[in-house]
Amino acid sequence: MTAIEVAGLTKSFGTVHAVRDLSFVVRRGAITGFLGPNGAGKTTTLRALLGLVAPTSGTATFAGRRYAEIQHPTHEIGVVLDTIRFHPGRRARDHLRVLALAADIRPSRVDEVLALVELTDAAHRRVGGFSLGMRQRLALAAALLGEPNLLVLDEPTNGLDPHGVAWLRGFMRSFVDVGGTVLVSSHQLAEIAQSVDDVVIVADGRSVLQSSITELGGPAELERTFLELTTAAPASQNGALR
Ligand SMILES: Nc1ncnc2c1ncn2[C@@H]1O[C@H](COP(=O)(O)OP(=O)(O)OP(=O)(O)O)[C@@H](O)[C@H]1O
Ligand SMILES: [Mg+2]
């Protein structure tokens, strides 16, 4: 069953072709790693999926529906994008309370999500004093408020220390173990390679590979394939210099 389908997605910003005719699917009940080097078009694709930029052409849908067509998106889809903004003077728990109130979510859910992301001890602290890793956890807590069964995470390991990265991997796995689906982008292959079921590799706005890790032959093979597919251009330039 398909949770997300991106079909022929193209997005240009003037002369910059951020995404070019990109197609892939995200299987329900699996973690799909959306991998590619800096500037490959990952964030642009996720923004198009979430209705934050209008595609130049093509579609990006959740089981056939555009994000804007979903009646209660916070209850279906949890989103963490790479541009997280918090009111610096607000305490973590209050930040979540405001969001819960706005989305008609029971107030007791706030402490549940704080516990899920292991921020209970920092719940009373002002967000302005949070480390980047703590902000990532808080953003994830916010995404979980509506008890969604699908998570779209853009570079969620940014700012996390090794313990935090390991924790996130475990978190994603337990999320899908109970029936959830995760689409997670990263340019840090090593950080998520061990924890994804499927991969979509993009380079220069184009899909260069969609596969399950099993088909690829395991995480080690993924790393080799990724480097091979995403460094093709510089390698040939080096060749030309010789
Ligand atoms: N609003 C915008 N206006 C102009 N160009 C943009 C805009 N957003 C993205 N781009 C360009 O589109 C290309 C893809 O950017 P995008 O942010 O999608 O890449 P990414 O894969 O998320 O990279 P990273 O790993 O660094 O987050 C880049 O060349 C970027 O400069
Ligand atoms: Mg990005």
Side-chain angles (χ1 to χ4, degrees):
M1 277 230 289
T2 299
I4 293 173
E5 181 168 12
V6 172
L9 185 71
T10 296
K11 177 64 188 179
S12 303
F13 299 99
T15 56
V16 178
H17 303 295
V19 179
R20 314 173 194 222
D21 195 24
L22 181 65
S23 300
F24 66 89
V25 295
V26 172
R27 261 193 312 137
R28 209 177 281 282
I31 304 175
T32 297
F34 188 33
L35 307 173
N38 290 133
K42 303 179 298 294
T43 297
T44 304
T45 300
L46 299 183
R47 288 174 61 82
L49 178 64
L50 298 165
L52 298 170
V53 293
T56 304
S57 59
T59 57
T61 50
F62 297 91
R65 297 163 303 165
R66 282 185 296 113
Y67 187 83
E69 292 167 339
I70 299 172
Q71 212 172 2
H72 300 292
T74 46
H75 297 278
E76 288 191 36
I77 304 155
V79 179
V80 178
L81 285 185
D82 63 351
T83 46
I84 312 164
R85 288 196 192 86
F86 299 108
H87 190 302
R90 200 171 273 164
R91 297 171 202 282
R93 182 181 277 123
D94 293 335
H95 171 74
L96 295 172
R97 275 190 185 143
V98 169
L99 294 177
L101 195 65
D104 208 12
I105 289 162
R106 63 187 161 86
S108 57
R109 180 68 181 155
V110 167
D111 284 333
E112 287 175 19
V113 295
L114 282 165
L116 278 174
V117 304
E118 298 179 3
L119 272 185
T120 303
D121 291 347
H124 62 284
R125 285 177 50 187
R126 294 184 201 280
V127 178
F130 270 24
S131 70
L132 185 54
M134 291 167 80
R135 284 164 199 258
Q136 287 283 18
R137 286 172 189 254
L138 183 58
L140 186 58
L144 294 169
L145 274 174
E147 299 179 57
N149 59 18
L150 173 61
L151 289 177
V152 177
L153 310 175
D154 194 15
E155 308 276 358
T157 54
N158 269 0
L160 294 183
D161 57 23
H163 168 81
V165 173
W167 170 82
L168 184 76
R169 283 202 294 255
F171 175 84
M172 292 192 298
R173 182 52 60 196
S174 37
F175 189 80
V176 299
D177 279 349
V178 293
T181 302
V182 179
L183 173 61
V184 53
S185 87
S186 184
H187 59 264
Q188 296 283 15
L189 173 76
E191 287 184 347
I192 65 160
Q194 308 157 36
S195 57
V196 297
D197 302 302
D198 295 345
V199 283
V200 175
I201 299 179
V202 285
D204 208 13
R206 293 189 176 90
S207 165
V208 290
L209 181 83
Q210 163 141 32
S211 174
S212 73
I213 295 290
T214 319
E215 278 165 0
L216 266 183
E221 272 306 293
L222 168 63
E223 178 151 25
R224 196 189 58 73
T225 309
F226 178 83
L227 292 173
E228 197 177 287
L229 291 173
T230 58
T231 53
S236 64
Q237 279 162 19
N238 290 345
L241 288 174
R242 262 186 247 122

